[in-house]
Amino acid sequence: MSVTEAPAIRIQAATLADVPTIMQLAEATWEPTYRFIISREQIDYMYRVIYTPASLQRQMTEQGHTFLLLYVDEQAAGYASFSEQGEAGLYKLHKIYVLPSRQGMGLGQRLLQAVELAVREAGGHMLDLNVNRHNPAQAFYEHQGFQRHREEDIAIGPYWMNDYVMRKHL
């Protein structure tokens, strides 16, 4: 690829066949994302709860999560997941991760825009997300138009997630 060529970016809905790809991306993004925010024990515990093949399949089939995969030059580089919530028109962004080697290229913004478009097309008008109160990604979300909505503390096994719920009106 020459210096002037832009990478080919593609975002598509994931299927159950993509679970191994999601797991590979999670392995590469989870620890670098949280290493300065929560303990190694909590990282390991939460990863084991959220990212087993059975858990990801449940998220897709039983919990109604839509996963999107982001590809750069045909290589998987990130993913997001979202689902409709109980309140009419309210959706939740559950996950959004981009490989550390691909961060800073606007890919997270592209992935978030794809989620927002899918939510709007499904009739949604609000998108919530949870972000750890010490996660520097808050600035990214604020830059994308999200605002702090409330604080929420969530027990995950023996650990706590101390989050802000951020909301964006679409």
Side-chain angles (χ1 to χ4, degrees), residues 9-13 68-71 107 110-112 114-115:
I9 297 169
R10 175 171 55 93
I11 299 172
Q12 69 182 44
L68 299 179
L69 282 170
L70 175 132
Y71 292 87
L107 299 174
R110 295 274 297 266
L111 197 49
L112 184 57
V115 168

Side-chain angles (χ1 to χ4, degrees), residues 30-31 34-35 38-45 159:
W30 187 259
E31 193 274 340
Y34 294 107
R35 74 173 81 154
I38 59 179
S39 72
R40 161 55 85 194
E41 295 78 17
Q42 185 171 357
I43 290 170
D44 292 344
Y45 179 86
Y159 301 101

Side-chain angles (χ1 to χ4, degrees), residues 20-38 40 43-44 47 50-51 56 67-70 76-81 94-104 107-108 111 135 137 141:
T21 301
I22 294 166
M23 290 178 67
Q24 288 173 344
L25 289 166
E27 262 181 50
T29 58
W30 187 259
E31 193 274 340
T33 299
Y34 294 107
R35 74 173 81 154
F36 300 112
I37 301 172
I38 59 179
R40 161 55 85 194
I43 290 170
D44 292 344
Y47 185 84
I50 298 169
Y51 287 105
L56 288 167
F67 279 76
L68 299 179
L69 282 170
L70 175 132
Y79 65 100
S81 77
H94 298 283
K95 301 171 184 59
I96 183 167
Y97 296 96
V98 173
L99 290 173
S101 63
R102 294 292 193 171
Q103 291 177 2
L107 299 174
L111 197 49
N135 190 334
Y141 296 127

Side-chain angles (χ1 to χ4, degrees), residues 82-92 115-128 145-146 166-170:
F82 62 96
S83 69
E84 188 173 11
Q85 299 299 286
E87 184 180 328
L90 176 63
Y91 282 71
K92 182 171 184 177
V115 168
E116 292 175 5
L117 177 62
V119 166
R120 281 193 300 273
E121 287 177 350
H125 55 84
M126 280 187 298
L127 185 61
D128 280 0
F146 285 84
M166 300 183 79
R167 175 171 282 180
K168 181 175 181 178
H169 294 273
L170 304 175

